[in-house]
Amino acid sequence: MSGMERHLNAAIGYLELGMLDEAAGELENLPPEDRTGTAVLGVRMEIYRSAKNWTLMEVVARKLWKRHQDDPVNWNNLAWVVRRKESIEAAQTILLEGFERFPNDAMTNYNLGCYACQLGDMDNAKRFVGDAIKLDSKYKLMALDDADLEPLWDSLASL
């Protein structure tokens, strides 16, 4: 295992334990040229998410999104932080653009369903969440426990 892998694995372990300063410290122990790699930025973004540092999370999420627009996870992460930093409407705009590229991505459908529900658009909320569940059944359990979707809980039980 390389030094980079050791530091990255240690950072992930600390992150999972909620030891955010230690996780960040492991990333700082990497040589400067390794600190901007995709895997390192992904861990750094999760540290910022856990710390609720939306400003820094957005910086990293945008960098990953610009580099890898072919991955729906990056669209979802960017929308997730924009929702917290700006608004649901701004997040929805990002994710609707992502949906054009990835209409069969369960996570994208699910998050669009959450946004629609929070904005009072119950028809689209049901459609997006229903499509997410059809694409990946794990989203049914998530939906039945997601406060964003509470107005839909009765109708989701039948899906």
Side-chain angles (χ1 to χ4, degrees):
M1 179 182 304
S2 72
M4 180 174 163
E5 290 171 325
R6 266 193 309 280
H7 286 298
L8 199 54
N9 286 339
I12 292 167
Y14 282 129
L15 178 61
E16 289 173 352
L17 293 171
M19 300 170 71
L20 305 182
D21 291 338
E22 291 80 359
E26 286 295 332
L27 298 182
E28 292 307 312
N29 287 330
L30 290 167
E33 63 272 12
D34 290 340
R35 293 180 193 167
T36 59
T38 297
V40 173
L41 289 177
V43 173
R44 190 172 300 282
M45 184 180 61
E46 294 307 322
I47 292 169
Y48 296 145
R49 184 191 316 261
S50 294
K52 297 182 179 177
N53 187 332
W54 308 139
T55 299
L56 291 178
M57 183 184 170
E58 183 181 17
V59 169
V60 176
R62 281 193 188 281
K63 185 172 284 208
L64 288 169
W65 173 79
K66 284 179 184 175
R67 274 190 200 171
H68 303 288
Q69 290 192 15
D70 58 334
D71 186 345
V73 169
N74 294 317
W75 290 82
N76 279 277
N77 282 330
L78 180 58
W80 194 92
V81 71
V82 165
R83 174 185 178 175
R84 278 136 189 94
K85 192 168 179 252
E86 295 177 35
S87 68
I88 290 177
E89 293 86 354
Q92 184 181 48
T93 298
I94 291 166
L95 216 47
L96 284 169
E97 186 179 341
F99 178 75
E100 290 177 19
R101 293 174 175 233
F102 311 105
N104 295 316
D105 179 66
M107 183 189 320
T108 300
N109 276 275
Y110 182 83
N111 286 328
L112 282 169
C114 289
Y115 299 162
C117 189
Q118 288 299 296
L119 293 169
D121 182 356
M122 295 307 155
D123 289 338
N124 275 322
K126 287 176 191 173
R127 180 176 59 88
F128 281 123
V129 173
D131 287 349
I133 292 168
K134 287 176 194 166
L135 291 163
D136 187 338
S137 62
K138 77 176 182 184
Y139 285 96
K140 183 171 185 176
L141 286 177
M142 286 176 57
L144 292 170
D145 192 42
D146 191 326
D148 279 351
L149 298 172
E150 187 174 0
L152 293 182
W153 284 349
D154 289 339
S155 64
L156 292 175
S158 65
L159 293 178

